[in-house]
Amino acid sequence: MPAQSLDHADLGQADVVIVGAGILGINQLYRAVQAGYSVRLLEQGEGVGGTWYWNRYPGCRFDSESYTYGYLFSEELWRKWDWSEEFAPQPETERYLNHVVDQFDLRRHIRCSSKVTSAVWDADAASWTTRTEDGFEIRSRYLIAATGVLSVPQYPDVPGREDFLGETYHPVRWPKEPVDLRGKRVAVVGTGSTGVQIGPAIADEVASLTMYQRSATWATPLNNHPISAGQQAYLKANYAPIKAELDVSVGGFLHKSAGKKWQQDTPEEREVFFESVWNSPGFAKISTNYDDLLSNREANADWCAFMERKIRGIVQDQATADKLIPRDHLYVGLRPPYVTGYYEMYNQPNVELVSLRETPMVKVTETGIETSDGLREFDVIIWATGFDFGTGAMRRMGVAGEDGLKLSDYWADGPLTYLGIMAHGFPNFFFPGGPHGAAGNNPRYGELQVVFIQNLIDHAREHGFRRIEVPKEAEQGWMDMIAQLEAYSPFEQRGQYYGANTPGKPRAYLLNPGGRPKLDEFMAKAVEGGYQGFFEGVVQ
Ligand code: NAP
């Protein structure tokens, strides 16, 4: 179908402006270009990749299987690209995303080093005006913020943090130039998924490594391995069935559920079963575990007792093992990390674990970190202290919708969304991968949203509508679902998924507790109802 474009007098206008060249921004760009729209993608970084551009820290890799994380929209792409490992490291994923951009000739639509500072809706023109830090301005009918849930770094509010005279890093702002940590005294603050990847990746080369842990987490082995030639051939030959399976998978993975509950097994059978789960890859620890793992506290506690025995078996110093074993939450109470060599590194003489629960941080000095048991001196401090999750980037983007309503004000008490992609009062504005969207392998959830958004825009073009806005009742319906099902979420309220790690942020659930079934259900309802109430105004 020919594009029904706005007037493209210059590069300052486009049908669609996308913000963010991460995994979903590129997906959205691909689809919008394929559908014949003029598109500009604005990216803050100097290159594309989003998460996989910014997170260059040692040990960075994803914990979803590579081929389930990559794009499924092109069999040719699937066949051309060889993932080297089950769980690819950051440089490979960054290369992959650059490869996709080049294969589909998308780079010419992308403007890098373009940090968006404001985006303002003009109701009369039914268009958005987006401005960047470097003075670029562009008008577009549609604005799509693919800015990611984990893009704004979070630093702890600890006295003296700026006084430290050594090197400091946040993993999401890791320099492009190699960082030489050899022979240095290094502190890693934070033992979430990031900190526990960094530790083992640098433990051998640094003079000393001190891990500062506030909350212990149930880390389990990633069980990564290279993809063999045989497996590679299998993947290439099975694009269609793999895609079909992922297209309906609740978690966005290929894992097979156990098909049994904890009660059905004897204690001896459980021990054998848990051993196989411990040896399974990544998130299979959840998805192939007992079906009632997250709904039956007894089952979960039994799995935790098994993991405790494993940790005690790996870590030689039992005082260190004591600190590493969570006492305040069951499995998935906090987002569980997947690790390689994490527990093992504590057996090295140059690695120390400091529990901030036992000896809280007092201040940072010019030479190191002081906890209640004294000062430890460092050459380098790595603040692996997380992100302003879910809403961080969008709240800072200067989005103003109908009647000048600021998104940051509309979301003052927590985000209000429809399907995690739209908000009432913000016409022609979408945010795939935003808060309330995902509950599993992010690219798979995000893809559902990207396609839904593209369909809405296509529907508007087909019928001559110039304005798409989610009706308040539809938004309320999605928010009611979140309020009802949040009670069943396994996550503790003190974590990032409630915004509790970010000072001053309202406590509100930021994931989709209904998972894929609810996303599918609501999307189907919108389509079957002919998107009633979403469209307005005929294009002149
Ligand atoms: P995170 O999970 O929020 O962990 C931050 C860590 O810093 C926690 O241990 C936290 O302790 C600690 N911390 C925060 N403020 C602190 C303070 N004031 N003093 C002392 N410690 C403090 O952040 P992350 O590890 O960067 O991971 C964020 C998300 O990124 C993950 O949930 C995951 O989705 C994603 N990720 C994925 C992978 C992967 O393999 N796919 C790898 C890295 C990250 P508390 O828990 O006590 O707050």
Side-chain angles (χ1 to χ4, degrees):
M1 180 188 296
Q4 178 197 301
S5 293
L6 295 174
D7 177 20
H8 301 124
D10 54 43
L11 287 178
Q13 294 202 17
D15 297 329
V16 182
V17 163
I18 299 170
V19 185
I23 189 113
L24 293 187
I26 293 171
N27 194 336
Q28 194 83 59
L29 174 61
Y30 165 79
R31 288 171 197 277
V33 168
Q34 289 277 314
Y37 297 91
S38 65
V39 194
R40 287 296 265 174
L41 187 151
L42 305 174
E43 164 55 49
Q44 176 180 355
E46 289 169 14
V48 305
T51 284
W52 306 105
Y53 169 84
W54 292 104
N55 286 276
R56 297 169 182 278
Y57 64 82
C60 180
R61 64 178 67 244
F62 43 53
D63 47 18
S64 302
E65 283 83 353
S66 310
Y67 40 88
T68 70
Y69 193 95
Y71 298 116
L72 300 175
F73 55 61
S74 158
E75 182 164 2
E76 191 196 352
L77 171 63
W78 173 273
R79 286 182 183 284
K80 266 191 181 169
W81 184 263
D82 288 347
W83 292 104
S84 67
E85 296 175 61
E86 278 290 296
F87 302 97
Q90 175 270 332
E92 185 168 331
T93 308
E94 189 188 13
R95 273 201 307 280
Y96 170 75
L97 292 171
N98 275 280
H99 166 81
V100 172
V101 162
D102 290 331
Q103 173 168 342
F104 298 102
D105 192 22
L106 300 175
R107 208 173 287 278
R108 63 202 172 88
H109 306 282
I110 300 174
R111 188 174 196 272
C112 285
S113 305
S114 271
K115 182 178 179 178
V116 172
T117 49
S118 76
V120 178
W121 170 247
D122 177 341
D124 293 337
S127 71
W128 286 89
T129 302
T130 303
R131 295 187 176 86
T132 69
E133 206 167 52
D134 63 337
F136 183 74
E137 180 177 312
I138 184 162
R139 286 168 78 83
S140 61
R141 171 122 311 147
Y142 300 105
L143 174 66
I144 302 178
T147 42
V149 281
L150 293 161
S151 31
V152 176
Q154 180 73 38
Y155 292 90
D157 194 10
V158 48
R161 196 172 56 76
E162 301 292 336
D163 297 343
F164 182 64
L165 296 177
E167 300 164 58
T168 60
Y169 302 99
H170 192 290
V172 74
R173 291 288 177 271
W174 200 265
K176 273 185 173 174
E177 309 71 43
V179 175
D180 189 1
L181 297 174
R182 283 173 303 176
K184 292 183 180 165
R185 299 163 303 169
V186 178
V188 174
V189 183
T191 53
S193 300
T194 303
V196 299
Q197 283 187 327
I198 296 174
I202 64 173
D204 288 344
E205 60 173 323
V206 298
S208 69
L209 172 63
T210 307
M211 301 291 296
Y212 285 90
Q213 169 190 281
R214 191 164 66 181
S215 303
T217 53
W218 290 112
T220 54
L222 179 63
N223 293 320
N224 188 22
H225 61 75
I227 293 180
S228 66
Q231 192 189 354
Q232 204 72 261
Y234 170 84
L235 288 170
K236 306 287 173 188
N238 285 282
Y239 167 76
I242 290 172
K243 179 176 182 320
E245 196 171 334
L246 288 172
D247 280 347
V248 294
S249 158
V250 170
F253 297 109
L254 295 172
H255 310 150
K256 303 273 180 284
S257 85
K260 61 177 175 181
K261 294 188 172 173
W262 179 77
Q263 210 98 44
Q264 291 171 247
D265 273 349
T266 64
E268 294 72 30
E269 286 166 339
R270 288 175 195 146
E271 193 71 10
V272 173
F273 178 73
F274 282 147
E275 183 70 32
S276 71
V277 173
W278 177 266
N279 292 318
S280 70
F283 280 99
K285 312 290 185 313
I286 304 172
S287 48
T288 70
N289 214 314
Y290 285 115
D291 291 354
D292 56 345
L293 181 82
L294 301 184
S295 56
N296 175 351
R297 292 185 69 80
E298 211 182 340
N300 197 326
D302 197 25
W303 166 236
C304 291
F306 176 90
M307 290 188 287
E308 173 170 349
R309 291 194 291 280
K310 281 291 188 188
I311 297 165
R312 290 193 181 287
I314 300 170
V315 179
Q316 287 156 9
D317 174 34
Q318 290 304 299
T320 300
D322 280 341
K323 293 177 194 167
L324 286 166
I325 294 160
R327 297 284 167 218
D328 56 0
H329 67 276
L330 293 174
Y331 194 57
V332 197
L334 295 176
R335 199 272 201 193
Y338 299 101
V339 292
T340 304
Y342 177 61
Y343 295 118
E344 290 81 351
M345 83 176 180
Y346 288 107
N347 296 332
Q348 294 184 206
N350 66 334
V351 180
E352 183 191 9
L353 177 68
V354 176
S355 166
L356 295 172
R357 296 255 187 258
E358 291 172 7
T359 54
M361 200 177 284
V362 177
K363 64 178 181 208
V364 178
T365 71
E366 290 185 355
T367 58
I369 296 175
E370 188 181 321
T371 44
S372 60
D373 61 340
L375 173 71
R376 290 173 180 79
E377 299 204 319
F378 300 109
D379 304 305
V380 181
I381 300 177
I382 299 171
W383 296 102
T385 43
F387 298 84
D388 180 347
F389 180 85
T391 53
M394 265 193 291
R395 282 192 303 120
R396 287 167 173 78
M397 222 174 75
V399 177
E402 203 75 82
D403 300 322
L405 176 65
K406 290 185 178 149
L407 187 66
S408 52
D409 288 342
Y410 191 57
W411 285 1
D413 297 327
L416 299 171
T417 79
Y418 170 69
L419 311 181
I421 55 173
M422 298 168 85
H424 180 71
F426 297 84
N428 294 5
F429 175 56
F430 308 94
F431 39 91
H436 299 160
N441 192 3
N442 275 358
R444 299 281 69 83
Y445 272 80
E447 181 151 64
L448 289 175
Q449 298 176 315
V450 161
V451 169
F452 186 83
I453 292 166
Q454 192 58 55
N455 288 343
L456 279 176
I457 293 175
D458 290 348
H459 186 89
R461 177 171 69 180
E462 215 170 291
H463 295 84
F465 296 119
R466 67 206 291 258
R467 190 175 186 281
I468 310 172
E469 182 182 6
V470 58
K472 189 66 191 164
E473 318 78 72
E475 182 186 87
Q476 192 57 50
W478 184 250
M479 293 305 299
D480 288 346
M481 181 282 289
I482 288 173
Q484 278 161 19
L485 298 187
E486 180 202 325
Y488 302 99
S489 163
F491 295 111
E492 299 280 328
Q493 296 208 358
R494 64 198 164 91
Q496 61 176 353
Y497 298 137
Y498 281 85
N501 63 329
T502 305
K505 197 168 169 173
R507 297 286 177 279
Y509 194 58
L510 298 169
L511 295 177
N512 163 12
R516 177 158 189 161
K518 283 293 169 192
L519 206 52
D520 281 342
E521 180 189 316
F522 274 70
M523 285 179 174
K525 204 167 118 194
V527 175
E528 283 158 18
Y531 306 110
Q532 206 180 358
F534 278 72
F535 295 94
E536 227 181 73
V538 175
V539 176
Q540 308 296 312

